[in-house]
Amino acid sequence: MDVKQAIRDRRSIRLYQSKPVEEQKLYQIIEAARLAPSAKNRQPWRFIIETDSSRKKQISDIMRAFFKEGVDYPDHVKSINLSARIISRAPAIIWVLKERDPNWDTSDLLSIGAAIENMCLVAVELGLGTVWLRDVCYTQDELEEFLGTQYEIVSCVAVGYPAEQPEMRPRKTIPELFLGKTGVY
Ligand SMILES: Cc1cc2nc3c(=O)[nH]c(=O)nc-3n(C[C@H](O)[C@H](O)[C@H](O)COP(=O)(O)O)c2cc1C
C-alpha cells in the first residue's frame, strides 16, 4: 500500500472485532513509531502494550471515576466515557509516554505526534484499525500511578481489527486552509 492510500484510508476506528491482534503486528506498529522524525533526534517516545482484559477494564474504571456526581462537565470532557469504553473493548492498547524534560516539552510532543501518526498509518496497511486517545490525560496522574511509571502519559492508541467502516470525517477544503494570498490560491 502506498503512503497516499494509507493516509486516505485511515479512519479513527472505535469498534473492533474480538479477534486478538498478532504480537508481530503490534511490534510492526512500534517499529513505525521508532522510525519517526524527532526534534534533535531525541526519540522521546516510550511505549507500553496492554492486551490483558482485566488491566484494560481497570484503566477504563480509573477514567470513568473521574466523574463526580453533581458536577456539570462540558461535552468534550464527557467523551472520556466513550474513550474508556473503547479501551475496555479494544483487543490492544498502546500507551505512548514521553521523557519528562520541561526544556523540550513542545518539541517532544510534536515528535511524538509524528510517531503516533506513523503508528496509525502502518496499522492501515496491516488491516488494523486504530484510534488515538488523548482523553487519558484527564486522569493522567492516576493512570501513571497504575502503570507504575516515571514517564509522562501523552496518549494511548487503541488497536484492533475494525468492526466498522466509517466514512471519511469532514475536512476543510484546501482554499480554507490558506491564510493570505499565495501564488496558487
Ligand atoms: C491528538 C488527538 C487526540 C484525540 N483524542 C481522542 C479521544 O480522546 N477520543 C476519541 O474518541 N478520539 C480522539 N481522537 C480522534 C479524533 O476525534 C479524530 O481523529 C477526528 O475526529 C477525525 O476523524 P478521523 O480520525 O476518522 O479522520 C484524537 C485525535 C487526535 C489527533
Side-chain angles (χ1 to χ4, degrees):
M1 176 180 280
D2 73 18
V3 179
K4 269 194 278 167
Q5 192 62 46
I7 291 171
R8 262 194 304 266
D9 288 353
R10 188 209 55 79
R11 303 277 184 281
S12 290
I13 298 296
R14 299 182 172 86
L15 282 178
Y16 308 96
Q17 301 170 32
S18 54
K19 178 179 167 183
V21 178
E22 298 82 343
E23 220 170 84
Q24 190 239 354
K25 289 197 175 181
L26 292 170
Y27 287 126
Q28 286 185 65
I29 292 175
I30 303 295
E31 173 66 359
R34 189 177 77 86
L35 300 180
S38 61
K40 289 281 186 289
N41 202 17
R42 284 169 51 78
Q43 305 167 59
W45 41 69
R46 297 293 183 277
F47 305 99
I48 297 171
I49 298 177
E50 312 262 12
T51 53
D52 180 74
S53 307
S54 89
R55 275 184 65 85
K56 284 188 277 117
K57 170 151 189 331
Q58 281 173 272
I59 292 161
S60 164
D61 289 346
I62 290 171
M63 290 172 70
R64 287 197 177 101
F66 172 86
F67 292 101
K68 312 236 175 339
E69 249 176 72
V71 180
D72 187 19
Y73 293 94
D75 278 348
H76 71 275
V77 176
K78 289 181 193 154
S79 79
I80 301 176
N81 267 328
L82 172 62
S83 295
R85 193 167 69 213
I86 294 168
I87 288 173
S88 64
R89 294 183 182 174
I93 63 165
I94 303 177
W95 288 107
V96 184
L97 305 106
K98 88 173 185 57
E99 289 175 347
R100 285 182 199 279
D101 186 340
N103 296 319
W104 288 94
D105 248 356
T106 306
S107 306
D108 284 350
L109 280 175
L110 290 166
S111 305
I112 288 176
I116 295 176
E117 182 62 357
N118 271 11
M119 295 165 74
C120 296
L121 290 178
V122 89
V124 175
E125 183 174 306
L126 297 170
L128 293 164
T130 56
V131 62
W132 178 335
L133 299 170
R134 174 71 182 153
D135 280 338
V136 290
C137 69
Y138 296 103
T139 47
Q140 188 167 336
D141 292 348
E142 294 84 343
L143 290 168
E144 282 166 9
E145 195 185 325
F146 175 78
L147 293 177
T149 182
Q150 299 302 311
Y151 286 84
E152 181 183 332
I153 291 174
V154 173
S155 285
C156 97
V157 179
V159 187
Y161 286 95
E164 61 170 350
Q165 285 188 310
E167 292 292 313
M168 184 183 283
R169 274 89 189 194
R171 289 295 194 264
K172 294 185 171 69
T173 61
I174 297 252
E176 283 177 291
L177 301 178
F178 278 99
L179 303 175
K181 280 212 178 308
T182 72
V184 184
Y185 290 99

